[in-house]
Amino acid sequence: MAKGEKTNLMERIVSLCKRRGFIFQSSEIYGGIGGFWDYGPLGVELKRNIKDAWWYDMITSHDDTTAPPGAPRPYAMVGLDTAIIMHPQVWKCSGHYDLFHDMMVDCRTCKARFRADHLETEQCPLKPSKRPGEHDKCDLTEPREFNLMFKTYVGALFDPSSEAYLRPETAQGIFVNFKNVLDTTRVKLPFGVGQIGKSFRNEITPRYFTFRSREFEQMEIEFFCHPNESRAWYEYWRNRRLQWYVSLGLRSDRLRLREHGPEELSHYSCGTADIEYAFPFLPEGDFGELEGVAHRGDFDLRSHMEGKLIRVGDHFELDRLPDGRPKYPGSGKDLTYFDDETRERFVPHVIEPSAGADRATLAFICEAYTEDEVPDEKGVPQKRVVMKFHPRLAPIKVAVFPLVKKDRMPEIARDLYRALKKRWVCFYDEKGAIGRRYRRQDEVGTPFCVTIDGQTLQDQTVTIRDRDTCQQVRVRIDDVEAEIARRLEAR
RNA sequence: GCGGGCGUAGCUCAAUGGUAGAGCACCGGCCUUCCAAGCCGGGAAUGCGGGUUCGAUUCCCGUCGCCCGCUCCA
């Protein structure tokens, strides 16, 4: 922030993330490293709750026997957890290697960047009749490797034959295991495979807090279906995934589903819709991508059978060298699907809902951040910062306080704390004034605070205070667990 | 990768070529029976490296990071 500038909303959110231990800059004591972030004690709980909600809602709790609302038919869901480093041929066949691994030449004068192997056909921006480097003002760099994938070496010897890449997406781990899943689980089409895991992209410009990070976590589904049904499944997943964010508290007027135009489609896609959120760091009216739902056709499975494909009109063909051989040969393994009932063999189509776990976390943080006013003991309205997380996502579910530090209240409160802790992330605090303790929990989004007071000693009742309304109800101490459970599940 | 702006305590800010302050937050104590009360005490900072200087947080250079605009975004 420029000195003296009024702090804006996003700066207050970033500040809270640091102050309360949600998100820290990576390697901060060494000056930080751009594009990498660490989750603190509360952040890790929040992000884990988001990933757990996704895994539970998409995979664990999925009912294979019944079509969910809007789904063309019942389907199966299974999970995978595949390696970050894969055989280098995976990235050659997937198309990532060619697209993101180029020798580039920059012009120091006009700041233009050219592919080193295209200098013969490019124009100098200053004098279009000449090629880059031919104009007397041109000042070209040596060709430099420009790689958006992180490269590493497998084994102790650093020679080209041991080069490997950190995955730039989790999807390929699912595609290369397609046959393994089919052979080991008895799933039939249509079915989906989910995976949560880290991916790495050497972004040119990491920006907007954690929004564009170089290391990030994805929550991806690769959904395999019959080509004739792929359009219907694409529609289903777009809506299903949008509703997921709404169900966890993102306001629908800050969310939108945006269909990509033809010129915007990725090299593999024959239809993509982004689920976007109006992040507060973006200009008013702009949205940022939370998740992409892509219709990938048969591109991926064919790529790993035949080799790297290129688009020709409305279909894909094998990318060939001038002598006719495949540029990057595929595995040669048969990744087709045989339908026992229809006796039909085909390459399944793929619908890919690919969500960013860190982007979802950031969106839920931004959505939760609220400033309101609560009257103090004199009835004067005081500003309050409250994180209105959905109870499923809140890092701490319940806090337990003795009203004051005497008359056995701390002992009773600790007993209750221990009992509740067996079931939920629970926090105990006996320091300072009660109002201060409520505010501290408000700022980290704890939905419920239970207070042991003088009356508890008389009739075994306690108060449960609601984060959003500040309203208190009195319940028997033996009923606290059931009441909290009821409220956590009610929303 | 380019251009501009900015780096002081956990947060938000001050000040200075010569002892770096405050508010809030935090910790301890007293007090306190429901929404950031009060009193006393405490810990805590000039991103990193180099240069100029008797002396640099201040000036200069580099670097790293953050913000804004380009560029990029499979």
Side-chain angles (χ1 to χ4, degrees):
Chain A
M1 179 189 84
K3 232 173 163 174
E5 236 174 73
K6 200 176 166 209
T7 58
N8 67 28
L9 174 61
M10 196 57 209
E11 283 155 4
R12 295 198 296 278
I13 291 172
V14 172
S15 171
L16 181 138
C17 285
K18 170 76 189 298
R19 188 168 71 247
R20 303 311 304 259
F22 283 98
I23 297 171
F24 307 126
Q25 192 172 32
S26 169
S27 315
E28 190 186 276
I29 63 170
Y30 286 103
I33 176 166
F36 297 91
W37 300 90
D38 296 338
Y39 287 85
L42 290 177
V44 67
E45 296 293 338
L46 173 65
K47 186 175 166 186
R48 169 173 295 165
N49 290 343
I50 291 166
K51 289 189 288 181
D52 285 351
W54 183 91
W55 191 265
Y56 179 80
D57 292 347
M58 294 301 120
I59 297 172
T60 320
S61 72
H62 173 72
D63 175 0
D64 291 4
T65 67
T66 311
R73 60 172 74 226
Y75 61 90
M77 289 296 296
V78 296
L80 275 183
D81 183 358
T82 70
I84 287 171
I85 293 176
M86 304 178 70
H87 193 291
Q89 194 70 9
V90 167
W91 308 111
K92 291 184 174 166
C93 290
S94 71
H96 290 87
Y97 181 87
D98 277 358
L99 268 171
F100 302 111
H101 186 270
D102 285 318
M103 299 304 284
M104 304 297 286
V105 169
D106 289 314
C107 177
R108 298 186 186 93
T109 307
C110 64
K111 311 299 183 195
R113 173 170 293 155
F114 313 96
R115 279 180 58 163
D117 56 349
H118 285 186
L119 285 180
E120 301 300 308
T121 55
E122 295 271 7
Q123 296 176 334
C124 170
L126 294 179
K127 195 160 174 114
S129 63
K130 297 195 178 232
R131 294 197 287 256
E134 293 183 337
H135 188 32
D136 53 9
K137 285 187 180 141
C138 288
D139 181 12
L140 299 184
T141 63
E142 291 301 302
R144 294 181 294 186
E145 192 171 327
F146 195 81
N147 195 346
L148 292 170
M149 289 195 290
F150 283 95
K151 188 194 285 185
T152 188
Y153 297 86
V154 174
L157 281 177
F158 277 29
D159 70 78
S161 67
S162 66
E163 283 179 8
Y165 298 92
L166 305 192
R167 65 181 176 199
E169 62 175 31
T170 56
Q172 300 303 324
I174 298 177
F175 297 132
V176 301
N177 276 296
F178 174 73
K179 198 166 153 42
N180 280 335
V181 171
L182 272 185
D183 291 348
T184 55
T185 64
R186 300 176 57 235
V187 288
K188 295 190 181 311
L189 243 57
F191 68 93
V193 182
Q195 166 159 237
I196 297 178
K198 289 281 182 83
S199 292
F200 304 81
R201 298 180 191 179
N202 220 338
E203 297 287 354
I204 311 281
T205 314
R207 193 163 287 193
Y208 297 138
F209 200 28
T210 60
F211 182 78
R212 187 175 299 152
S213 301
R214 293 186 163 121
E215 174 177 345
F216 58 100
E217 197 153 14
Q218 294 183 292
M219 307 185 290
E220 288 195 316
I221 295 167
E222 306 302 332
F223 188 83
F224 301 95
C225 61
H226 190 283
N228 292 347
E229 288 186 346
S230 60
R231 195 74 207 176
W233 284 110
Y234 173 60
E235 306 283 336
Y236 164 72
W237 279 109
R238 291 191 323 174
N239 298 326
R240 174 82 195 274
R241 292 299 310 149
L242 180 67
Q243 284 311 309
W244 186 78
Y245 293 98
V246 174
S247 75
L248 288 171
L250 292 194
R251 270 170 47 202
S252 48
D253 62 342
R254 295 185 71 83
L255 277 170
R256 76 173 180 195
L257 196 59
R258 189 180 62 84
E259 193 80 32
H260 283 205
E263 71 293 344
E264 202 183 350
L265 290 179
S266 320
H267 65 285
Y268 54 73
S269 181
C270 34
T272 297
D274 282 349
I275 298 171
E276 300 181 324
Y277 180 72
F279 285 98
F281 47 75
L282 298 172
E284 189 68 33
D286 280 12
F287 289 71
E289 181 186 348
L290 278 181
E291 171 161 352
V293 182
H295 186 317
R296 300 174 67 125
D298 59 7
F299 178 86
D300 302 285
L301 291 176
R302 278 186 58 202
S303 295
H304 290 302
M305 282 196 288
E306 303 167 31
K308 189 205 164 199
L309 304 174
I310 50 171
R311 183 190 287 275
V312 178
D314 61 351
H315 66 290
F316 294 103
E317 291 182 4
L318 194 60
D319 195 2
R320 294 180 188 277
L321 297 169
D323 65 7
R325 289 180 301 131
K327 187 175 181 190
Y328 300 123
S331 67
K333 300 289 188 289
D334 181 10
L335 304 181
T336 58
Y337 179 82
F338 182 70
D339 188 317
D340 296 305
E341 290 175 27
T342 63
R343 314 294 295 168
E344 184 186 8
R345 182 174 289 283
F346 55 91
V347 180
H349 276 200
V350 171
I351 310 301
E352 178 197 69
S354 170
D358 306 272
R359 287 183 177 185
T361 304
L362 183 57
F364 286 118
I365 286 174
C366 292
E367 181 78 36
Y369 185 89
T370 309
E371 293 170 357
D372 64 7
E373 291 190 336
V374 242
D376 64 12
E377 54 186 336
K378 298 183 186 76
V380 182
Q382 297 289 331
K383 187 185 146 192
R384 174 177 82 138
V385 172
V386 50
M387 296 297 282
K388 294 189 174 178
F389 290 123
H390 187 285
R392 278 181 83 186
L393 303 183
I396 300 171
K397 307 298 188 204
V398 198
V400 180
F401 310 141
L403 184 58
V404 288
K405 229 186 322 182
K406 59 183 186 189
D407 297 340
R408 288 193 59 250
M409 289 183 211
E411 289 76 8
I412 297 170
R414 285 190 209 121
D415 285 345
L416 179 61
Y417 160 73
R418 287 187 206 105
L420 296 178
K421 199 172 175 55
K422 289 177 182 157
R423 186 158 172 189
W424 297 297
V425 177
C426 191
F427 187 81
Y428 175 78
D429 192 2
E430 60 179 32
K431 301 287 172 60
I434 189 75
R436 179 183 299 267
R437 283 177 268 162
Y438 285 146
R439 296 297 179 84
R440 272 198 284 248
Q441 294 307 309
D442 289 342
E443 212 181 40
V444 299
T446 307
F448 305 109
C449 294
V450 180
T451 300
I452 280 65
D453 59 13
Q455 196 177 328
T456 309
L457 307 169
Q458 314 300 320
D459 64 5
Q460 307 295 304
T461 62
V462 299
T463 60
I464 298 177
R465 179 248 195 203
D466 181 276
R467 173 194 70 199
D468 299 339
T469 64
C470 297
Q471 298 297 307
Q472 289 176 289
V473 296
R474 186 164 281 279
V475 302
R476 290 183 59 244
I477 196 165
D478 293 338
D479 295 336
V480 167
E481 183 175 338
E483 177 63 17
I484 299 281
R486 191 184 67 76
R487 289 170 175 243
L488 283 173
E489 282 150 27
R491 308 209 188 182

